[in-house]
Each structure stands twice: as structure tokens, then as C-alpha cells.
Amino acid sequence: MTDLKNKVALITGSARGLGRAIAERFAGLGADIIINYSKDSFSANEAVVNIQALGVRVIAVQADISKPADIENLFAEAKKAFGKIDIVVANAGVELADVPVTDFTEEQFDRLFAINTKGTYFTIQCAAKNIEDNGRIINISSTSAASPFPGFAVYGGSKTAPNYLVEVLAKEIGYRGVTVNSIVPYAVANAGIFTGMDTHTPELKWLSDMNPMKRMATVEDVSNAAVFFASNLSSFVSGQHLIVNGGGSQ
């Protein structure tokens, strides 16, 4: 039921961190992969080498997700290489936490919304236009969008709008057998702003201590949820938000 052979998966922001973990997990289940990166070509090429070793086809495509024209080109290159797209994971995003509402600048606001909201919207829109019938669209959200927390107003706000988009699009294209869902993870170790950080630092220890399971989420926790949504296991699950937070409130 989790076999992804003969499927083609496009994952935005997948040169490293969580996106790369999802790409490698899908590849391990047989899917051909489109790696997307904005600037880090070295990590993208490294991801390509790792995925090729799993015996599937893979390409890397540069695209700035804040630019709809780049997104359209990304999908065009994917279809040119593989002829179709079965799975899309809208993972690309930027984080900025611990900034009170009164301290946020217009530049910071615009950057977060350009990628997390606008970029995700047009990625999912392009997915809806290009994905095969019975395909899978997966949005990577954040528990910041599910539970208000001081310092996260703009970041959480930028991740909230795509969740609503997921619910609407699920109703609009469900007749094609396409499912549209979100994964809503707790802070993920070795992903995003936490990439390369020691989990024993005071900041990350605090995140672990406040969780009922006394740890942060791992990329494996989230990629496992992604496999559920990408596979036939979730063929009648759509318009939903799966919270992966170890039972916590954030």
C-alpha cells in the first residue's frame, strides 16, 4: 500500500533538510524525484547523487518559489523530464520566530508571505493544473498555524492561509480522485532554522522539554506522514491537516 513505483514526485525546497528527507523516503519506495532548490546547487546535486543510488530517476531544477514564473517553469521541466507528475509536496518555506508583533518590519513580513503564502499558493495551484488524476498534493504547514504562540504571529499567519487553501482545493478537484492535505509538524530537528543545530543547546532543549514526548519532531516523523498521504493508504482522506506534534499543544 505504500509502494510508489511508477510515480513521479515533485518536492519544493528539497535540496536539504525536511524536503530532502521526504524526497529520499519517496525514492526509497520507488518514486522518481524532482529536487527543487533556490540557491544551494551543491546540496541539490548531492541529493541527486544520493537518490540515484536508490535506483530511481531524479533531476534537480532551480526555481525561486516566491516567483510564479519560476514555479511554472519547475512544473514544465518536471513534465518534460518524466511526462507526468503524480505527487507534489509544497515544502519550501522560510522561518522567523521570536519576533513580537510590535517589532516586525515590512521587509520581514513581505519575505515570509512571499514564500510561505504566495509561493505555496502558486505551487499548489500549479499542482492542481498539472497533477495526474488520483494524484496527491501535500502541504507542509506548522503547528504555529494551529496554536497561537508569542513571537510567531507573522510566521504562523503566513502558514495559516495555505491550510485554508488545502480545504477548498480538496473540494474543487476531489472529483478527479486527487487528494489535498497538510502535514502540521512540531519543531523539526535538523530542518529549517534548526539544520545543523545541536539538540542539546538551551533553545532546542526547551523545545524538547515542553513536548509531552520530551523531544522535537524528526525528519523521519514527518516523512512517514508524507508517505501516508502520498500512498494508497490515504486514498479517501482529503482536506485534512495531520498534526505531528507528539501530543503537544503547539
Side-chain angles (χ1 to χ4, degrees):
M1 293 292 285
T2 58
D3 185 355
L4 299 182
K5 290 179 181 176
N6 301 316
K7 301 296 184 182
V8 176
L10 185 160
I11 303 98
T12 63
S14 49
R16 60 194 185 99
L18 179 56
R20 179 164 162 178
I22 293 172
E24 291 178 351
R25 186 82 161 88
F26 286 0
L29 293 170
D32 295 321
I33 303 294
I34 299 96
I35 293 290
N36 160 246
Y37 68 98
S38 177
K39 297 177 181 178
D40 191 354
S41 60
F42 177 84
S43 293
N45 290 332
E46 187 179 65
V48 166
V49 170
N50 287 353
I51 289 171
Q52 283 176 333
L54 296 172
V56 299
R57 298 178 297 169
V58 56
I59 61 169
V61 181
Q62 190 279 332
D64 181 344
I65 298 303
S66 69
K67 300 176 181 178
D70 276 22
I71 296 170
E72 290 180 7
N73 182 67
L74 168 63
F75 277 78
E77 289 296 316
K79 293 186 79 171
K80 180 181 177 181
F82 298 121
K84 64 169 186 168
I85 303 170
D86 301 288
I87 304 162
V88 174
V89 182
N91 168 74
V94 291
E95 298 166 271
L96 185 58
D98 272 341
V99 182
V101 170
T102 52
D103 293 348
F104 244 96
T105 67
E106 182 180 8
E107 181 182 9
Q108 291 171 327
F109 182 97
D110 287 346
R111 181 168 181 263
L112 284 176
F113 271 79
I115 298 175
N116 296 350
T117 309
K118 178 183 174 182
T120 300
Y121 177 88
F122 284 102
T123 297
I124 291 176
Q125 181 194 68
C126 237
K129 292 178 179 179
N130 290 280
I131 202 160
E132 296 291 297
D133 287 353
N134 301 307
R136 304 286 184 261
I137 300 174
I138 305 166
N139 170 50
I140 303 299
S141 186
S142 165
T143 51
S144 302
S147 181
F149 199 76
F152 286 78
V154 177
Y155 174 65
S158 72
K159 297 294 254 182
T160 299
N163 288 353
Y164 186 75
L165 168 62
V166 161
E167 296 177 22
V168 172
L169 186 60
K171 297 179 185 300
E172 292 182 350
I173 63 174
Y175 72 94
R176 293 176 50 205
V178 178
T179 66
V180 191
N181 294 287
S182 287
I183 299 172
V184 187
Y186 187 66
V188 183
N190 289 314
I193 58 175
F194 305 120
T195 301
M197 290 182 64
D198 184 347
T199 55
H200 295 95
T201 61
E203 297 85 358
L204 270 61
K205 187 177 184 302
W206 174 78
L207 286 168
S208 296
D209 288 345
M210 69 182 293
N211 187 273
M213 291 192 176
K214 303 303 178 186
R215 67 175 178 86
M216 296 171 65
T218 65
V219 293
E220 291 79 15
D221 292 325
V222 183
S223 59
N224 284 340
V227 168
F228 169 70
F229 280 136
S231 70
N232 287 333
L233 290 172
S234 62
S235 60
F236 202 59
V237 180
S238 195
Q240 304 303 309
H241 311 292
L242 178 58
I243 299 177
V244 181
N245 71 346
S249 58
Q250 283 88 27

